Amino acid sequence: MENFRYVRPGSIEEACRLLREHGERARPLAGGQSLLILMKSGVVRPEVVISLRGLAGLRAIREADGGLALGATAIHASVAASSLVRARAPLLAEAAAQIGSPAIRQMGTIGGSLSQADPAADLPPALLCLDARLAVAKAGAIRELPVAEFLRGYYETAMDPDELLTEIRLPALAGGSGSAFLKLRRQATDMATVCVAALVVLDAQGVCREARIGVGAASAAAYRATEAEVVLRGTRLGAAELEEAGRLAQQRAEPATDHRGGAEYKRAMVRVLTARALAQATERARGTGR
Ligand SMILES: Cc1cc2nc3c(=O)[nH]c(=O)nc-3n(C[C@H](O)[C@H](O)[C@H](O)COP(=O)(O)OP(=O)(O)OC[C@H]3O[C@@H](n4cnc5c(N)ncnc54)[C@H](O)[C@@H]3O)c2cc1C
């Protein structure tokens, strides 16, 4: 690994100032689960590493406007275990619990995962379904953007090099909602071959008012299968509708063949996991599933 300067700012303002001062020569360090691997292999050679560990409040998970606000350096283990997240955004807790191994979940952070923008990451499909908005700081100013705009493509985000992701904001869920996150992987601690998040909202008669489907590891960035969502609205989410939704979600998939599976296999798994995740989300919304 190349030599680098390690700095530990005491505030978000100071971190932003350092980022502005050093531009592309600097990198924020959150859990280091991706950054340190890239530095060790020489893919990334920052001259200045800006640790986010000392930033007060950036790890907090709190209620906000009836929904939730998660600090960017909240670790995956905290997100998975938080009673607030489990009550208000169970889909996010379920996805976070399936990341890597316990050791990875103790170090990796929600903000680091989003900033890394790995197309196979587990949190983006869940956050897409939850309509997350991300707060990004730059030289004292904060802008907020939807997660779908933040995730631009293959390891690419909408952040400039002098910007810092500070908070992930989730609106309150509607009553009558149920959700599920399903991940296909080759072995227990692997990244997803394909993963799907589903969220449905039922009315008092059990009719689908809204359906959201987030698909990961099947494209350059996680995506919402909007065509599939449309066909589910107004239905009772029967087997035929879920099958059709799976087929439509698959149509959007453009996976690459890699060590985790062939493109055709991944496309087929998008169809299967979408139908299964929707079925599980529906059972939970009806109060009949776990
Ligand atoms: C063996 C292994 C298995 C894994 N398995 C999974 C898995 O199954 N599912 C999954 O989703 N992920 C998995 N991961 C990824 C891991 O969970 C982390 O989410 C990911 O590595 C990045 O988070 P981090 O906090 O470690 O970020 P870091 O490695 O510290 O940073 C990653 C990148 O984001 C930038 N960055 C970090 N925080 C910010 C911020 N707040 N603002 C702006 N830029 C920022 C850094 O500069 C760097 O470029 C795995 C990782 C490893 C090593």
Side-chain angles (χ1 to χ4, degrees), residues 19 26-38 44 52 58 72-73 76 95 98-101 104-105 107-118 120-124 150 159 163-166 183 185 188-192:
L19 281 172
R27 281 293 181 108
L29 174 71
Q33 298 301 292
S34 294
L35 184 60
L36 294 184
I37 293 172
L38 295 173
V44 175
L52 305 181
L58 219 59
T73 60
H76 303 316
Q98 297 191 42
I99 292 176
S101 61
I104 300 292
R105 293 196 290 276
M107 293 300 291
T109 67
I110 184 169
S113 174
L114 285 164
S115 304
Q116 181 66 16
D118 186 323
D122 295 316
L123 301 184
F150 180 90
M159 272 190 300
E163 286 187 311
L164 197 65
L165 174 59
T166 56
K183 174 178 182 177
R185 53 187 152 182
T189 59
D190 204 8
M191 301 277 293

Side-chain angles (χ1 to χ4, degrees), residues 179-204:
S179 60
F181 177 81
L182 293 182
K183 174 178 182 177
L184 177 71
R185 53 187 152 182
R186 295 169 309 163
Q187 53 189 31
T189 59
D190 204 8
M191 301 277 293
T193 300
V194 165
C195 57
V196 174
L199 188 147
V200 300
V201 184
L202 305 183
D203 68 15

